[in-house]
Tab-separated table of all heavy atoms in Angstrom:
chain	number	residue	atom	x	y	z
R	40	HIS	N	-10.691	-12.938	22.841
R	40	HIS	CA	-9.905	-13.477	23.946
R	40	HIS	C	-8.468	-13.284	23.634
R	40	HIS	O	-7.951	-13.828	22.666
R	40	HIS	CB	-10.237	-14.952	24.105
R	40	HIS	CG	-11.634	-15.323	24.436
R	40	HIS	ND1	-12.565	-15.293	23.497
R	40	HIS	CD2	-12.197	-15.628	25.616
R	40	HIS	CE1	-13.788	-15.641	24.036
R	40	HIS	NE2	-13.606	-15.801	25.372
R	41	LEU	N	-7.790	-12.413	24.362
R	41	LEU	CA	-6.419	-12.021	23.978
R	41	LEU	C	-5.397	-13.040	24.563
R	41	LEU	O	-5.494	-13.521	25.584
R	41	LEU	CB	-6.141	-10.552	24.406
R	41	LEU	CG	-7.074	-9.531	23.791
R	41	LEU	CD1	-6.811	-8.174	24.377
R	41	LEU	CD2	-6.926	-9.533	22.333
R	42	TYR	N	-4.369	-13.136	23.722
R	42	TYR	CA	-3.292	-14.177	23.978
R	42	TYR	C	-2.001	-13.509	24.472
R	42	TYR	O	-1.050	-14.099	24.707
R	42	TYR	CB	-3.081	-14.757	22.624
R	42	TYR	CG	-2.186	-16.056	22.531
R	42	TYR	CD1	-2.601	-17.199	23.126
R	42	TYR	CD2	-1.008	-16.016	21.888
R	42	TYR	CE1	-1.878	-18.400	23.066
R	42	TYR	CE2	-0.217	-17.211	21.738
R	42	TYR	CZ	-0.687	-18.325	22.366
R	42	TYR	OH	0.097	-19.583	22.270
R	45	GLU	N	1.327	-14.982	26.077
R	45	GLU	CA	1.501	-16.412	25.787
R	45	GLU	C	2.130	-16.724	24.427
R	45	GLU	O	2.121	-17.879	23.993
R	45	GLU	CB	0.155	-17.154	25.845
R	45	GLU	CG	-0.630	-16.904	27.164
R	45	GLU	CD	-1.941	-17.666	27.292
R	45	GLU	OE1	-2.032	-18.708	26.692
R	45	GLU	OE2	-2.825	-17.188	27.978
R	65	THR	N	-8.130	-22.821	19.789
R	65	THR	CA	-9.045	-22.588	20.915
R	65	THR	C	-9.873	-21.308	20.645
R	65	THR	O	-9.678	-20.672	19.617
R	65	THR	CB	-8.281	-22.473	22.277
R	65	THR	OG1	-7.464	-21.297	22.139
R	65	THR	CG2	-7.359	-23.654	22.469
R	66	HIS	N	-10.503	-20.893	21.761
R	66	HIS	CA	-11.192	-19.583	21.699
R	66	HIS	C	-10.125	-18.428	21.741
R	66	HIS	O	-10.389	-17.310	21.472
R	66	HIS	CB	-12.115	-19.465	22.941
R	66	HIS	CG	-11.411	-19.706	24.196
R	66	HIS	ND1	-11.118	-21.011	24.596
R	66	HIS	CD2	-10.980	-18.915	25.227
R	66	HIS	CE1	-10.531	-21.010	25.803
R	66	HIS	NE2	-10.473	-19.748	26.176
R	67	ARG	N	-8.890	-18.756	22.208
R	67	ARG	CA	-7.723	-17.792	22.303
R	67	ARG	C	-6.828	-18.047	21.235
R	67	ARG	O	-5.645	-18.384	21.350
R	67	ARG	CB	-7.160	-17.963	23.693
R	67	ARG	CG	-6.379	-16.786	24.218
R	67	ARG	CD	-5.850	-17.058	25.600
R	67	ARG	NE	-6.849	-17.256	26.634
R	67	ARG	CZ	-7.708	-16.368	27.062
R	67	ARG	NH1	-7.696	-15.141	26.626
R	67	ARG	NH2	-8.654	-16.681	28.026
R	101	MET	N	-13.428	-16.513	17.088
R	101	MET	CA	-13.386	-17.815	17.571
R	101	MET	C	-13.672	-18.912	16.539
R	101	MET	O	-13.727	-20.081	16.925
R	101	MET	CB	-14.464	-17.965	18.745
R	101	MET	CG	-13.886	-17.457	20.047
R	101	MET	SD	-15.058	-17.890	21.397
R	101	MET	CE	-16.304	-16.589	21.228
R	114	ASN	N	-11.842	-22.560	18.101
R	114	ASN	CA	-13.000	-23.302	18.545
R	114	ASN	C	-13.538	-22.745	19.814
R	114	ASN	O	-12.827	-22.626	20.835
R	114	ASN	CB	-12.607	-24.790	18.698
R	114	ASN	CG	-13.793	-25.658	18.513
R	114	ASN	OD1	-14.838	-25.444	19.125
R	114	ASN	ND2	-13.629	-26.747	17.769
R	115	GLY	N	-14.770	-22.346	19.843
R	115	GLY	CA	-15.438	-21.730	21.014
R	115	GLY	C	-15.781	-22.768	22.101
R	115	GLY	O	-16.146	-22.448	23.171
R	116	VAL	N	-15.770	-24.114	21.687
R	116	VAL	CA	-16.152	-25.095	22.618
R	116	VAL	C	-14.811	-25.609	23.309
R	116	VAL	O	-14.034	-26.230	22.677
R	116	VAL	CB	-16.800	-26.314	21.888
R	116	VAL	CG1	-17.237	-27.353	22.925
R	116	VAL	CG2	-18.084	-25.697	21.179
R	117	VAL	N	-14.752	-25.408	24.554
R	117	VAL	CA	-13.443	-25.735	25.339
R	117	VAL	C	-13.209	-27.184	25.173
R	117	VAL	O	-14.008	-28.043	25.491
R	117	VAL	CB	-13.584	-25.274	26.787
R	117	VAL	CG1	-12.445	-25.867	27.653
R	117	VAL	CG2	-13.622	-23.811	26.854
R	118	GLY	N	-11.961	-27.593	24.683
R	118	GLY	CA	-11.581	-28.929	24.518
R	118	GLY	C	-11.845	-29.555	23.185
R	118	GLY	O	-11.366	-30.636	22.849
R	119	ALA	N	-12.655	-28.891	22.445
R	119	ALA	CA	-13.237	-29.574	21.184
R	119	ALA	C	-12.195	-29.700	20.099
R	119	ALA	O	-12.397	-30.499	19.149
R	119	ALA	CB	-14.469	-28.777	20.688
R	144	PHE	N	-4.641	-26.375	23.712
R	144	PHE	CA	-5.799	-26.308	24.584
R	144	PHE	C	-5.385	-25.735	25.898
R	144	PHE	O	-4.136	-25.619	26.168
R	144	PHE	CB	-6.453	-27.610	24.899
R	144	PHE	CG	-5.457	-28.726	25.149
R	144	PHE	CD1	-5.108	-29.013	26.528
R	144	PHE	CD2	-4.896	-29.461	24.165
R	144	PHE	CE1	-4.208	-29.939	26.830
R	144	PHE	CE2	-3.945	-30.462	24.540
R	144	PHE	CZ	-3.546	-30.661	25.821
R	145	GLY	N	-6.236	-25.263	26.771
R	145	GLY	CA	-5.891	-24.630	28.035
R	145	GLY	C	-5.947	-25.589	29.216
R	145	GLY	O	-6.364	-26.729	29.088
R	146	ASP	N	-5.506	-25.101	30.400
R	146	ASP	CA	-5.511	-25.931	31.504
R	146	ASP	C	-7.051	-26.326	31.887
R	146	ASP	O	-7.297	-27.433	32.326
R	146	ASP	CB	-4.929	-25.209	32.715
R	146	ASP	CG	-5.417	-23.716	32.927
R	146	ASP	OD1	-5.110	-22.954	32.013
R	146	ASP	OD2	-6.155	-23.455	33.879
R	147	GLY	N	-7.913	-25.391	31.720
R	147	GLY	CA	-9.317	-25.652	31.946
R	147	GLY	C	-9.815	-26.838	31.164
R	147	GLY	O	-10.617	-27.694	31.591
R	148	ALA	N	-9.312	-26.927	29.892
R	148	ALA	CA	-9.864	-27.860	28.963
R	148	ALA	C	-9.400	-29.341	29.459
R	148	ALA	O	-10.032	-30.320	29.053
R	148	ALA	CB	-9.262	-27.637	27.547
R	149	THR	N	-8.395	-29.362	30.216
R	149	THR	CA	-7.972	-30.771	30.645
R	149	THR	C	-8.858	-31.380	31.697
R	149	THR	O	-8.616	-32.465	32.045
R	149	THR	CB	-6.472	-30.737	31.160
R	149	THR	OG1	-6.441	-29.956	32.456
R	149	THR	CG2	-5.495	-30.071	30.238
R	150	ASN	N	-9.841	-30.562	32.070
R	150	ASN	CA	-10.833	-31.243	33.029
R	150	ASN	C	-12.087	-31.764	32.184
R	150	ASN	O	-12.954	-32.293	32.847
R	150	ASN	CB	-11.352	-30.195	34.075
R	150	ASN	CG	-10.358	-29.814	35.012
R	150	ASN	OD1	-9.430	-30.618	35.239
R	150	ASN	ND2	-10.338	-28.580	35.487
R	151	GLN	N	-12.060	-31.555	30.880
R	151	GLN	CA	-13.207	-32.003	30.111
R	151	GLN	C	-12.981	-33.595	29.798
R	151	GLN	O	-11.838	-34.011	29.628
R	151	GLN	CB	-13.109	-31.288	28.764
R	151	GLN	CG	-13.549	-29.884	28.864
R	151	GLN	CD	-15.013	-29.644	29.137
R	151	GLN	OE1	-15.409	-29.528	30.329
R	151	GLN	NE2	-15.797	-29.484	28.130
R	172	CYS	N	-0.636	-28.127	26.018
R	172	CYS	CA	-1.482	-27.443	27.091
R	172	CYS	C	-0.862	-26.068	27.354
R	172	CYS	O	0.238	-25.895	27.728
R	172	CYS	CB	-1.537	-28.212	28.367
R	172	CYS	SG	-2.532	-27.358	29.563
R	173	GLU	N	-1.711	-25.048	27.097
R	173	GLU	CA	-1.285	-23.697	27.475
R	173	GLU	C	-1.828	-23.399	28.836
R	173	GLU	O	-2.903	-22.972	29.007
R	173	GLU	CB	-1.812	-22.748	26.439
R	173	GLU	CG	-1.298	-23.006	25.037
R	173	GLU	CD	-1.647	-22.028	23.956
R	173	GLU	OE1	-2.895	-21.750	23.885
R	173	GLU	OE2	-0.822	-21.590	23.208
R	174	ASN	N	-0.908	-23.712	29.794
R	174	ASN	CA	-1.411	-23.644	31.159
R	174	ASN	C	-1.096	-22.228	31.714
R	174	ASN	O	-0.103	-21.955	32.230
R	174	ASN	CB	-0.554	-24.690	31.955
R	174	ASN	CG	-0.967	-24.834	33.372
R	174	ASN	OD1	-1.769	-23.980	33.876
R	174	ASN	ND2	-0.595	-25.862	34.027
R	175	ASN	N	-2.199	-21.376	31.529
R	175	ASN	CA	-2.036	-20.029	31.911
R	175	ASN	C	-2.596	-19.681	33.303
R	175	ASN	O	-2.938	-18.645	33.656
R	175	ASN	CB	-2.691	-19.039	30.895
R	175	ASN	CG	-4.220	-19.355	30.717
R	175	ASN	OD1	-4.753	-20.120	31.536
R	175	ASN	ND2	-4.821	-18.693	29.762
R	176	GLN	N	-2.675	-20.823	34.149
R	176	GLN	CA	-3.005	-20.717	35.551
R	176	GLN	C	-4.438	-20.456	35.953
R	176	GLN	O	-4.833	-20.474	37.078
R	176	GLN	CB	-2.166	-19.569	36.249
R	176	GLN	CG	-0.794	-19.421	35.727
R	176	GLN	CD	0.093	-20.628	36.039
R	176	GLN	OE1	0.101	-21.189	37.085
R	176	GLN	NE2	0.888	-20.939	35.004
R	177	TYR	N	-5.299	-20.181	34.861
R	177	TYR	CA	-6.702	-19.921	35.133
R	177	TYR	C	-7.580	-20.465	34.102
R	177	TYR	O	-7.226	-20.551	32.949
R	177	TYR	CB	-6.987	-18.319	35.181
R	177	TYR	CG	-6.351	-17.679	36.395
R	177	TYR	CD1	-5.031	-17.264	36.276
R	177	TYR	CD2	-7.155	-17.520	37.539
R	177	TYR	CE1	-4.531	-16.642	37.439
R	177	TYR	CE2	-6.550	-16.832	38.630
R	177	TYR	CZ	-5.230	-16.467	38.621
R	177	TYR	OH	-4.711	-15.844	39.657
R	178	GLY	N	-8.790	-20.887	34.474
R	178	GLY	CA	-9.878	-21.173	33.554
R	178	GLY	C	-10.948	-20.112	33.862
R	178	GLY	O	-11.496	-20.073	34.985
R	179	MET	N	-11.090	-19.166	33.000
R	179	MET	CA	-11.889	-17.950	33.324
R	179	MET	C	-11.395	-17.353	34.631
R	179	MET	O	-10.158	-17.067	34.723
R	179	MET	CB	-13.359	-18.241	33.301
R	179	MET	CG	-13.838	-18.707	31.950
R	179	MET	SD	-15.580	-18.978	31.800
R	179	MET	CE	-16.191	-17.421	31.431
R	180	GLY	N	-12.251	-17.253	35.689
R	180	GLY	CA	-11.739	-16.634	36.864
R	180	GLY	C	-11.346	-17.628	37.907
R	180	GLY	O	-11.099	-17.288	39.056
R	181	THR	N	-11.266	-18.886	37.539
R	181	THR	CA	-10.892	-19.896	38.545
R	181	THR	C	-9.407	-20.243	38.489
R	181	THR	O	-8.959	-20.739	37.452
R	181	THR	CB	-11.726	-21.172	38.327
R	181	THR	OG1	-13.116	-20.729	38.196
R	181	THR	CG2	-11.568	-22.159	39.427
R	186	HIS	N	-9.220	-25.619	40.482
R	186	HIS	CA	-9.978	-26.504	39.507
R	186	HIS	C	-9.247	-27.817	39.276
R	186	HIS	O	-9.872	-28.752	38.701
R	186	HIS	CB	-10.404	-25.731	38.285
R	186	HIS	CG	-9.331	-25.459	37.264
R	186	HIS	ND1	-8.745	-26.452	36.521
R	186	HIS	CD2	-8.831	-24.291	36.754
R	186	HIS	CE1	-7.873	-25.913	35.628
R	186	HIS	NE2	-7.896	-24.628	35.840
R	240	ARG	N	-1.745	-15.227	31.003
R	240	ARG	CA	-2.287	-14.196	30.078
R	240	ARG	C	-2.221	-12.941	30.855
R	240	ARG	O	-2.649	-12.836	31.981
R	240	ARG	CB	-3.705	-14.616	29.641
R	240	ARG	CG	-4.720	-14.678	30.758
R	240	ARG	CD	-6.149	-14.819	30.123
R	240	ARG	NE	-7.010	-15.473	31.087
R	240	ARG	CZ	-7.443	-14.950	32.201
R	240	ARG	NH1	-7.116	-13.719	32.537
R	240	ARG	NH2	-8.403	-15.659	32.916
R	243	GLY	N	-7.338	-9.784	30.697
R	243	GLY	CA	-8.428	-10.558	31.278
R	243	GLY	C	-8.861	-11.766	30.430
R	243	GLY	O	-8.241	-11.987	29.388
R	244	HIS	N	-9.741	-12.525	30.954
R	244	HIS	CA	-10.167	-13.737	30.183
R	244	HIS	C	-10.645	-13.405	28.749
R	244	HIS	O	-10.291	-13.998	27.809
R	244	HIS	CB	-11.227	-14.469	30.972
R	244	HIS	CG	-11.866	-15.601	30.150
R	244	HIS	ND1	-11.189	-16.733	29.732
R	244	HIS	CD2	-13.123	-15.638	29.581
R	244	HIS	CE1	-12.001	-17.516	29.071
R	244	HIS	NE2	-13.175	-16.907	28.835
R	245	HIS	N	-11.534	-12.391	28.707
R	245	HIS	CA	-11.892	-11.831	27.393
R	245	HIS	C	-11.837	-10.325	27.434
R	245	HIS	O	-11.542	-9.781	28.579
R	245	HIS	CB	-13.266	-12.402	26.995
R	245	HIS	CG	-14.373	-12.032	27.892
R	245	HIS	ND1	-14.876	-10.716	27.998
R	245	HIS	CD2	-15.045	-12.757	28.786
R	245	HIS	CE1	-15.909	-10.740	28.872
R	245	HIS	NE2	-16.028	-11.915	29.385
S	401	TPP	C1	-17.568	-26.917	26.643
S	401	TPP	C2	-17.458	-25.448	27.240
S	401	TPP	N1	-17.669	-25.250	28.491
S	401	TPP	C3	-17.549	-24.007	28.991
S	401	TPP	C4	-17.287	-22.955	28.186
S	401	TPP	C5	-17.155	-21.514	28.683
S	401	TPP	N2	-15.716	-21.135	28.706
S	401	TPP	C6	-15.111	-20.475	27.754
S	401	TPP	S1	-13.476	-20.256	27.966
S	401	TPP	C7	-13.524	-21.119	29.405
S	401	TPP	C8	-12.252	-21.272	30.187
S	401	TPP	C9	-11.267	-22.153	29.503
S	401	TPP	O1	-10.062	-22.173	30.351
S	401	TPP	P1	-8.806	-22.783	29.645
S	401	TPP	O2	-9.049	-24.060	28.970
S	401	TPP	O3	-7.743	-22.788	30.770
S	401	TPP	O4	-8.411	-21.691	28.518
S	401	TPP	P2	-7.984	-20.160	28.768
S	401	TPP	O5	-9.272	-19.360	28.644
S	401	TPP	O6	-7.343	-20.079	30.076
S	401	TPP	O7	-7.050	-19.897	27.679
S	401	TPP	C10	-14.788	-21.532	29.670
S	401	TPP	C11	-15.193	-22.317	30.819
S	401	TPP	C12	-17.073	-23.243	26.842
S	401	TPP	N3	-16.827	-22.300	25.843
S	401	TPP	N4	-17.160	-24.550	26.343
Side-chain angles (χ1 to χ4, degrees):
H40 298 80
L41 299 176
Y42 192 63
E45 304 185 29
T65 66
H66 53 287
R67 201 177 298 290
M101 276 190 280
N114 207 312
V116 181
V117 169
F144 50 88
D146 48 294
T149 67
N150 292 331
Q151 294 287 89
C172 180
E173 299 183 310
N174 187 343
N175 62 8
Q176 324 295 318
Y177 289 87
M179 298 183 82
T181 310
H186 75 69
R240 61 170 155 73
H244 169 68
H245 61 74

